[in-house]
Amino acid sequence: MCVLKKNPNLPIPKGARASRSLLVRHVNELRRLREEEWSYESIHEAFLECYGEIFSMSLQVFRERARRVLQKELGKEENFLEATLRVKPE
């Protein structure tokens, strides 16, 4: 059984950037699995189980792509928090 929640209304991307697109799509689940202390190997296996050959890459490549997606998402959240906390000078 697939650990990831696939949205049947969204198409499965194809091509060279398909794996990155799917990691971005599942970023919240990716973060949750890391917080639950899943290894990158187990997460990689979950993506392989759900999406097949799109994720047939070395563990090292998967880990780096997942790490970059998580870092980028964290940066977006930090920027959003900064913007909401700014006080307009009077």
Side-chain angles (χ1 to χ4, degrees), residues 26-52:
H26 290 285
V27 70
N28 291 329
E29 291 171 276
L30 184 58
R31 184 183 316 132
R32 178 184 55 83
L33 294 172
R34 288 299 298 152
E35 287 171 357
E36 291 176 3
E37 298 185 5
W38 280 47
S39 68
Y40 278 107
E41 183 176 13
S42 297
I43 297 170
H44 183 212
E45 289 172 7
F47 275 90
L48 263 171
E49 182 182 320
C50 277
Y51 292 106

Side-chain angles (χ1 to χ4, degrees), residues 18-20 22-23 44 47-48 51-58 62:
S19 63
R20 185 185 180 286
L22 289 168
L23 286 169
H44 183 212
F47 275 90
L48 263 171
Y51 292 106
E53 70 180 49
I54 294 171
F55 285 95
S56 62
M57 60 187 73
S58 72
F62 175 82

